[in-house]
Each structure stands twice: as structure tokens, then as C-alpha cells.
Amino acid sequence: MTLRVRFAPSPTGYLHVGGARTALFNWLLARKEGGTFILRIEDTDRERSSEEMTRAILEGLSWLGLDWDEGPHFQSEGLERHRREALRLLKEGKAYLDLTTPEELARVREADPAAALRYPREQAEALPPGEAAERAAEGEPHALRFLIPDGETTWVDRVHGDVRFRNPEIEDLVLLRTDGTPTYNLAVVSDDAEHRVTLVIRGDDHISNTPKQILLHEALGNLTPDFAHVPMIMGPDGKRLSKRHGAAAVGDYHHQGILPEAMNNFLALLGWNPGTEEEIFTRETLVEAFSLDRVQKKSAVFDPKKLEWLNGQHLSRTPAGALAGEVLDRLGELRSAAEARIQGEPGWLEGLVELLKPRARSVDDIADQARPFLSETLIYDADAVTKHWRKDPEAARGHLSALRDGLASMEWTEEALETGVRALAEGRGVGAGKLIHPLRVALTGQAVSPGIFEVLMVMGRETALARIEAALDRVEEEEGPGETNDS
Ligand code: GLU
């Protein structure tokens, strides 16, 4: 039997870390085993579901590259089937109509606290045959409940191994409400059977639903799927992951400049242990390495630092060409300057991205670091200015003037610039650093940057000379921090 798995989110919120991780595990296994990955939107909670959330979930999955083979199915489309199947169970004596009011129920439970788990179906059974149906038909509030059979329900969970529940401890769950709407457990069972799902992979917060669902499959005569319950994700404080921990919707990570490859890599390691030292995975290597055997039972811990680190790792492995478009999108008001530059020099942006990405942790970082290369206005870092210009302004002025004159006539290649600048330093009787540090501040406003000769290459002669000129004007001026060169 070929593997058929599904991801079944409720569109009551964005696609969050936990949901995305469940989707990824399903997708990985389907791809590894040549199975089918089904997407089902569980939209039966009309009030809390929205099309906007459905769209956001589909976008999140697409961004991660988790393509589905079937669907999206919408649970609400199966409403009639859900109802039909529940009524079949009623007809077969596997379900019953229950008119017990909440007050009656509270009274019965108070009288017998030991029976708290099991549903007191005796109330319903006490009614003469036919009466419940009549009163329900007249509109009296009622529920159709599943009659949990005696015995025990067990399954071999693909993560947890043998799991066992005593049936008398399972409540006779509601299948249909007064208005005939199906409940979650009925709808899921009916849909999983309809979609011929062979394995359900989901969060282990659903473990207590599983015996109910197995019993329902059996009562309906379905083939029962296998189950794999994956561990919950906790924040660093050991509490269940939530917004408080800075865990955001997958779309937010996209906006923050996290790469989908890094996000998948991070999500995979939440609960799955590759069993090797290797921590960097692409989607392809994940497909190869993934197995349910190595999914752990204990909860996983969400570590934002690790995501940042993984993102840096993936950034450095991603070709600049694949990042340039994302960087351009993040340049804001500098976008047109960048486009003008690219027009004259196709490949210029790729060169810049190549230069910046080894120091960047996100695409956002790259865009930030690209600013000094594009903006007319340079923001000078106050410490850099103090240290490399103002401590010895006379020397800085001398070095910068020599650089301005020298760079004006040097051949504009990395090697020639390096040879030329080193020769200039030698001629002035100082180490190259004495020239390079003030030059770096002049060009980028910062004390740190990628290699200065690469910076010169990407910046171009014209901008470089203009920046040195602007620097010479202000080397000795006393101005506050965060000063710019446009005053
Ligand atoms: N819609 C359910 C949820 O989002 C799906 C549960 C399941 O996978 O069976 O929790």
C-alpha cells in the first residue's frame, strides 16, 4: 500500500512553527517514500475560520516549498457525508441520541464523581424507545453520541510505540450537535477514510483523540490508518511555544529575511534527530535522511539563535544570484538607485550580495549593509570617526588626500588597487592599515566592512572619490554621533 499522508490545518490562525513542522514531516516522508501528500483545510469551525488564514497557510507552505499532491480539500465540503455516516452509526446502534441537559449531567456527575471520565449514558438509555427521536425532531437540544464499546484500544504509534487506552475511560463523544453539524473527531475520521490516508502524522496534543478516532474507524468499517504523534515544541523556558517566545507565523520569518531552506532545516531539527554530526540540510538532503524512527518522544525546544545561525549557514551557501531579487525588494527608497546602477552594470547587485553575504545573518542584513553602497547619504558611526579620523586628524587628512589622488589614476581591478594602496602607504612610511582604516570609514561610515579592495571595486571609482572628498571636509569637524555627509 503506498503511503498517503495529510496535513490538516484549521484556518483559524496563521501557519505557525508547530503546524509548519507537522507539514514538513508529512511532506518529507511522502517524498522519501514516493507517497502522496494531501492538503486538507479543516474549516468546519465557521466562526473562527477565514479565507485570509487559508490563503496565509497556503502561502506559507508554498514559501517553504512543501508542495501538495492532492487538495486543498476543504472539510466543509464533506458535511453531508459526515452527517450520513453518523446517522448510519445511529441506525446500527453504534450511536445514540442524547437529550441530557447540562444541568442533569452536572447532577449525575456530582452524585458519582468516580464516573467523571466515562459518559453517563444511562440517562439517555432511560428514555422509552422512540421518545428521544421524537423530541429531537421537535427541536429539543440534543446530541448524537458515539457509543464507546467496552474493552481496550491500542495501537503501535510510529513514534511512541505501544499506546493503550481503557475504553471505559473514554467519553461517549458527540458526533453531531443539535443543528446537525459534525464535530472534529467525526469529520477527521470520515475525511481520512475518504482521502484513503494510510498514516496520520500530527502533534502529540492529539494523542487522546486517537483512540476515539480508531474506534470510529472500526465502527464505520474503515481501514484504520497508522499514527505517528510528533513531540510538542517548547519555548526556552519549558512552556509550550507561543507568541510570548517570539515564535511567529512562518510569513513573519520570511519578512525577517529568513531563507526557506534555513526554516525547513530548523523545523526538521525540532523533534527529529539526524543521528549524525551534520546539522545543515537542504530539502533534498532532508528527504534522504528523514525517518520517523529518529523522531523523538520528548518535546523539542525552540531556539531562535539556532535559526539565526542556520540562516547564516544557508545564506553563505546560496548563490548571490538567487538572493539578489529578495535584497532588491528590501531596499525601500534605495531601490531605484539600485535599479539604475544595475541598468548600467548588470550583475552589479550580485557582486555586492556576494561581498556582503559572508557577514550577514539574514537577507535583511544584506539589504542593510548594501545601503552605504547606494545611498547618497552616508551615516558615520561615531566611534569609527573618533578612532580612525579624529584621534590624529592631520595624519588622517594626509592619508585620505593621498588616497584621493592615488585612486584617481589607478587601474580599477582588485589586484591593482591593492598594489597601489600598499605602495602609497609605503611611500608615506606607514603600514597599509593606517590608510585603509580611515578609508573604510570614508567609504562605508563604519569601522568594519568586507575587504576594502572589494568594497572599492563594487562601489566604483566615482562614488569612492566623492566619499573621500566628503570625508576630507569633515575629518576635523567636531560633530555629534550619527552625523551624515549631506549637511
Ligand atoms: N485541524 C486539526 C488541527 O489543526 C488537525 C488535527 C489532525 O491532524 O488530525 O489540530
Side-chain angles (χ1 to χ4, degrees):
M1 200 164 43
T2 56
L3 180 78
R4 291 177 62 83
V5 290
R6 70 353 178 236
F7 175 51
S10 306
T12 52
Y14 290 98
L15 179 63
H16 283 269
V17 172
R21 195 271 318 258
T22 300
L24 176 66
F25 282 10
N26 276 284
W27 182 87
L28 286 173
L29 203 67
R31 292 295 167 266
K32 188 181 175 93
E33 297 192 6
T36 302
F37 177 52
I38 302 162
L39 177 61
R40 181 170 75 228
I41 304 293
E42 304 212 316
D43 58 343
T44 39
D45 185 342
R46 280 288 172 207
E47 253 154 53
R48 293 177 53 229
S49 299
S50 77
E51 266 176 43
E52 188 202 338
M53 293 306 161
T54 300
R55 213 169 321 116
I57 292 170
L58 301 190
E59 272 170 21
L61 292 173
S62 300
W63 177 65
L64 290 169
L66 308 183
D67 53 334
W68 50 94
D69 307 305
E70 285 182 20
H73 298 292
F74 288 86
Q75 188 150 67
S76 55
E77 288 165 3
L79 220 71
E80 281 313 312
R81 168 171 36 79
H82 305 151
R83 220 170 267 158
R84 205 169 51 238
E85 290 182 352
L87 293 175
R88 174 153 68 82
L89 292 179
L90 175 66
K91 214 156 113 202
E92 292 172 1
K94 296 170 182 168
Y96 61 92
L97 278 174
D98 181 26
L99 288 102
T100 312
T101 62
E103 296 74 36
E104 282 168 341
L105 184 59
R107 210 169 343 102
V108 173
R109 289 213 152 136
E110 211 174 321
D112 184 8
L117 287 172
R118 186 182 161 277
Y119 187 76
R121 64 174 78 121
E122 295 71 17
Q123 274 301 108
E125 284 171 344
L127 285 184
E131 186 177 329
E134 249 168 57
R135 282 168 53 188
E138 278 161 18
E140 194 170 318
H142 64 278
L144 182 67
R145 282 184 188 272
F146 182 43
L147 199 149
I148 296 282
D150 289 339
E152 229 181 24
T153 304
T154 63
W155 75 94
V156 183
D157 195 277
R158 300 275 294 271
V159 174
H160 291 260
D162 281 325
V163 185
R164 191 170 295 268
F165 278 82
R166 292 185 54 247
N167 292 1
E169 291 174 6
I170 305 171
E171 171 168 299
D172 286 349
L173 55 137
V174 173
L175 300 177
L176 295 179
R177 307 181 184 94
T178 298
D179 62 2
T181 55
T183 54
Y184 158 73
N185 279 300
L186 170 64
V188 166
V189 165
S190 176
D191 288 0
D192 281 342
E194 177 74 8
H195 300 143
R196 291 175 287 119
V197 169
T198 60
L199 170 63
V200 172
I201 305 174
R202 61 183 173 195
D204 63 16
D205 51 337
H206 279 290
I207 243 176
S208 63
N209 283 319
T210 302
K212 301 174 189 169
Q213 295 182 11
I214 290 175
L215 289 169
L216 261 175
H217 277 298
E218 288 172 358
L220 287 165
N222 299 334
L223 276 178
T224 304
D226 283 342
F227 290 88
H229 289 91
V230 301
M232 289 288 97
I233 304 171
M234 303 295 168
D237 58 358
K239 302 230 168 73
R240 203 167 147 177
L241 190 65
S242 75
K243 280 217 181 103
R244 261 183 316 116
H245 299 103
V250 163
D252 294 337
Y253 291 107
H254 180 190
H255 293 307
Q256 285 167 27
I258 299 290
L259 296 174
E261 288 280 2
M263 194 73 207
N264 278 324
N265 193 160
F266 176 70
L267 292 170
L269 298 175
L270 287 173
W272 171 72
N273 173 353
T276 61
E277 292 288 294
E278 187 55 60
E279 287 201 286
I280 311 293
F281 291 90
T282 62
R283 272 210 321 252
E284 290 70 30
T285 57
L286 275 178
V287 168
E288 245 167 72
F290 186 76
S291 78
L292 283 178
D293 304 346
R294 304 205 67 91
V295 172
Q296 69 203 26
K297 289 185 213 154
K298 66 171 197 317
S299 51
V301 178
F302 175 89
D303 176 3
K305 286 258 169 330
K306 176 123 182 202
L307 174 58
E308 204 179 281
W309 177 77
L310 282 170
N311 203 46
Q313 296 293 316
H314 281 275
L315 267 184
S316 65
R317 287 164 168 77
T318 307
L323 298 169
E326 286 268 346
V327 171
L328 197 60
D329 285 344
R330 288 158 201 274
L331 286 173
E333 77 290 351
L334 291 177
R335 188 187 177 117
S336 47
E339 283 169 341
R341 188 84 195 238
I342 296 167
Q343 197 136 58
E345 245 179 284
W348 176 80
L349 187 59
E350 278 80 357
L352 178 59
V353 171
E354 194 60 66
L355 182 63
L356 299 176
K357 78 191 173 81
R359 289 164 178 273
R361 293 234 141 172
S362 70
V363 185
D364 261 10
D365 259 6
I366 298 182
D368 277 350
Q369 291 176 32
R371 291 178 172 274
F373 289 84
L374 286 161
S375 176
E376 302 266 318
T377 315
L378 199 59
I379 298 167
Y380 297 101
D381 176 77
D383 291 343
V385 165
T386 305
K387 184 158 173 214
H388 299 301
W389 291 356
R390 302 225 170 110
K391 246 198 333 228
D392 188 350
E394 213 169 308
R397 176 178 282 283
H399 297 327
L400 286 170
S401 316
L403 279 163
R404 177 194 51 195
D405 299 342
L407 288 171
S409 59
M410 278 180 207
E411 190 196 339
W412 212 258
T413 64
E414 221 176 293
E415 300 74 47
L417 289 169
E418 174 152 13
T419 315
V421 170
R422 289 193 189 283
L424 268 184
E426 218 176 290
R428 299 181 63 74
V430 292
K434 286 276 183 251
L435 269 65
I436 289 172
H437 293 306
L439 177 61
R440 174 172 284 125
V441 182
L443 297 181
T444 66
Q446 307 291 316
V448 285
S449 79
I452 196 73
F453 305 109
E454 291 164 288
V455 169
L456 280 167
M457 282 307 296
V458 175
M459 196 164 270
R461 191 189 317 257
E462 201 186 321
T463 311
L465 291 180
R467 295 221 161 148
I468 297 173
E469 205 65 68
L472 280 166
D473 283 347
R474 58 191 323 116
V475 163
E476 280 152 277
E477 281 170 27
E478 284 302 326
E479 284 188 40
E483 61 196 83
T484 64
N485 65 350
D486 68 345
S487 47

Coordinates of all heavy atoms in Angstrom, one line a residue, residues 43-44 74-84 182 187 190-191 194:
D43 N -12.0 23.5 7.9 CA -12.7 24.8 8.0 C -14.1 24.7 8.6 O -15.0 25.5 8.3 CB -12.8 25.5 6.6 CG -13.5 24.6 5.6 OD1 -13.7 23.4 5.9 OD2 -14.0 25.1 4.6
T44 N -14.3 23.6 9.4 CA -15.7 23.4 9.9 C -16.1 24.4 11.0 O -17.3 24.6 11.2 CB -16.0 22.0 10.3 OG1 -14.8 21.6 11.0 CG2 -16.2 21.1 9.1
F74 N -11.4 20.8 1.3 CA -12.0 21.6 2.4 C -12.9 20.7 3.1 O -13.8 20.1 2.5 CB -12.7 22.9 1.8 CG -11.7 23.9 1.3 CD1 -11.3 23.8 0.0 CD2 -11.2 24.9 2.1 CE1 -10.3 24.7 -0.5 CE2 -10.3 25.8 1.7 CZ -9.8 25.7 0.4
Q75 N -12.7 20.7 4.4 CA -13.5 19.8 5.3 C -15.0 20.1 5.1 O -15.9 19.2 5.1 CB -13.1 19.9 6.7 CG -13.7 18.9 7.6 CD -12.8 18.5 8.8 OE1 -12.6 19.4 9.6 NE2 -12.3 17.3 8.8
S76 N -15.4 21.4 5.0 CA -16.8 21.7 4.9 C -17.5 21.1 3.7 O -18.7 21.0 3.7 CB -16.9 23.3 4.9 OG -16.1 23.8 3.8
E77 N -16.7 20.7 2.7 CA -17.3 20.1 1.5 C -17.9 18.7 1.8 O -18.7 18.2 1.1 CB -16.3 20.0 0.4 CG -16.0 21.3 -0.3 CD -14.8 21.3 -1.1 OE1 -14.2 20.2 -1.3 OE2 -14.4 22.4 -1.6
G78 N -17.4 18.1 2.9 CA -17.8 16.8 3.2 C -19.0 16.7 4.2 O -19.3 15.6 4.7
L79 N -19.5 17.8 4.5 CA -20.6 17.9 5.6 C -21.7 16.8 5.5 O -22.0 16.2 6.5 CB -21.2 19.3 5.5 CG -21.5 19.9 6.9 CD1 -20.2 20.3 7.5 CD2 -22.4 21.2 6.7
E80 N -22.2 16.7 4.3 CA -23.3 15.7 4.1 C -22.8 14.3 4.4 O -23.5 13.5 5.0 CB -23.8 15.8 2.6 CG -24.8 17.0 2.4 CD -25.8 17.0 3.5 OE1 -26.4 16.0 3.9 OE2 -26.0 18.2 4.1
R81 N -21.6 14.0 3.9 CA -21.0 12.6 4.2 C -20.8 12.4 5.7 O -21.2 11.4 6.2 CB -19.7 12.5 3.4 CG -18.9 11.2 3.8 CD -17.7 11.0 2.9 NE -17.1 12.1 2.4 CZ -16.2 12.9 3.1 NH1 -15.9 12.6 4.3 NH2 -15.6 14.0 2.6
H82 N -20.3 13.4 6.3 CA -20.1 13.3 7.8 C -21.5 13.0 8.5 O -21.5 12.1 9.3 CB -19.6 14.6 8.4 CG -18.4 15.1 7.8 ND1 -18.0 16.5 7.7 CD2 -17.3 14.5 7.1 CE1 -16.9 16.6 7.1 NE2 -16.4 15.4 6.7
R83 N -22.5 13.7 8.1 CA -23.8 13.5 8.7 C -24.4 12.1 8.4 O -24.8 11.4 9.3 CB -24.7 14.6 8.1 CG -25.7 15.2 9.1 CD -26.3 16.4 8.4 NE -25.6 17.6 8.7 CZ -25.8 18.7 8.0 NH1 -26.5 18.8 6.9 NH2 -25.1 19.8 8.3
R84 N -24.2 11.7 7.1 CA -24.7 10.4 6.7 C -24.1 9.3 7.5 O -24.7 8.4 7.9 CB -24.4 10.3 5.2 CG -25.3 9.4 4.4 CD -25.1 9.5 2.9 NE -23.7 9.3 2.5 CZ -23.1 10.3 1.8 NH1 -23.7 11.4 1.5 NH2 -21.8 10.1 1.4
P182 N -21.3 18.3 12.3 CA -20.4 17.3 12.8 C -19.3 17.9 13.7 O -18.9 19.0 13.6 CB -19.8 16.7 11.5 CG -19.8 17.8 10.5 CD -21.0 18.7 10.9
A187 N -15.5 14.4 11.7 CA -15.1 14.9 10.4 C -13.8 14.4 10.0 O -13.5 14.0 8.8 CB -15.2 16.4 10.5
S190 N -14.0 10.6 9.0 CA -14.6 10.5 7.8 C -13.7 10.9 6.6 O -13.6 10.3 5.6 CB -15.9 11.3 7.8 OG -16.6 11.2 6.5
D191 N -13.1 12.1 6.8 CA -12.2 12.6 5.7 C -11.0 11.8 5.6 O -10.5 11.5 4.4 CB -11.8 14.1 6.1 CG -13.0 15.0 5.9 OD1 -14.1 14.6 5.5 OD2 -12.8 16.2 6.1
E194 N -12.1 8.9 3.6 CA -12.4 9.4 2.2 C -11.1 9.6 1.4 O -11.1 9.3 0.2 CB -13.2 10.7 2.3 CG -13.6 11.4 1.0 CD -14.7 10.6 0.3 OE1 -15.3 9.7 0.8 OE2 -15.0 11.0 -0.9

